[in-house]
Amino acid sequence: MLFFWIVLGVAAVAVFVYRRVKKRRYEFPDGMCAFVLAAAVIKALGHVSISPDLPEAAFAAAFVGVSSVVLIVRRCLKKAHTFTDDVLANVVLFSVCALVESLGDVPWIYTMLAIFGLWGIVLRQYRCKELGMIEYVLGLVYMAAAVMLFRGLFGLSVLAAFGVASAVMIAVLLAYALLMFWMMK
């Protein structure tokens, strides 16, 4: 399985380099290359045992911390958005999924779907789109994944996990609304 992730990472870098040589604009395929590269790096490093004394949770938490700090510093310095930013953001995403998977008995896909569902809802609100079928689907994906995530992570019942997932969604949307209000002031 390690060989698969290495080949996938090398292929993502090759596609990105090919697009740069052809002088293509930075577009969706480049973002997908960053996504695949980050996944390959995290999964390959997860298969490699760096130290038997270092638990997987500490390893994932270190990746989250370092990648987040580098990304925040790049944003504070107002660096132009590049492939590096996409890779760092995706490393944070996959590291969070690996951290949750190592802390509880929760497959990483539930964490990924919950994050993507919530992210999609906030992104649609940011673009001032009307509520429609896409928001309902994103909400269902988020709630289903978050309920499974909180059940596995905290050992909650379905109803309690639904309540926690709802509270998290409300808190994120409230934080987003307050951030927009603060930025408009």
Side-chain angles (χ1 to χ4, degrees):
M1 195 68 180
L2 177 62
F3 180 72
F4 170 74
W5 290 111
I6 291 172
V7 168
L8 201 58
V10 169
V13 171
V15 169
F16 179 75
V17 168
Y18 173 77
R19 288 182 53 79
R20 291 288 77 77
V21 168
K22 292 292 185 181
K23 302 206 185 319
R24 302 274 169 89
R25 282 187 347 201
Y26 191 82
E27 295 173 338
F28 181 74
D30 299 314
M32 288 308 297
C33 286
F35 184 80
V36 169
L37 178 61
V41 166
I42 295 299
K43 291 297 185 179
L45 289 175
H47 287 295
V48 176
S49 177
I50 293 180
S51 169
D53 298 334
L54 183 66
E56 188 179 343
F59 184 65
F63 260 107
V64 170
V66 170
S67 300
S68 298
V69 167
V70 171
L71 196 56
I72 289 169
V73 167
R74 286 184 58 82
R75 288 293 118 226
C76 289
L77 295 176
K78 299 191 188 297
K79 299 280 186 183
H81 183 81
T82 62
F83 183 69
T84 305
D85 296 320
D86 281 350
V87 171
L88 287 170
N90 287 313
V91 164
V92 170
L93 174 69
F94 281 106
S95 298
V96 165
C97 293
L99 180 63
V100 169
E101 187 175 35
S102 65
L103 290 176
D105 192 22
V106 181
W108 65 271
I109 192 72
Y110 292 132
T111 309
M112 183 78 67
L113 287 174
I115 290 171
F116 278 149
L118 202 52
W119 173 74
I121 291 169
V122 170
L123 183 65
R124 298 271 302 172
Q125 293 301 307
Y126 175 74
R127 292 185 176 166
C128 299
K129 301 289 183 179
E130 290 185 22
L131 289 177
M133 184 61 109
I134 293 175
E135 281 77 20
Y136 293 124
V137 170
L138 288 171
L140 286 173
V141 166
Y142 165 75
M143 289 307 273
V147 165
M148 295 303 292
L149 174 71
F150 292 131
R151 284 188 70 204
L153 199 57
F154 301 122
L156 300 172
S157 67
V158 174
L159 191 57
F162 184 80
V164 171
S166 299
V168 167
M169 178 186 257
I170 290 168
V172 167
L173 291 175
L174 184 62
Y176 169 75
L178 290 173
L179 180 68
M180 288 294 112
F181 178 74
W182 177 67
M183 288 176 58
M184 294 296 176
K185 234 178 172 181

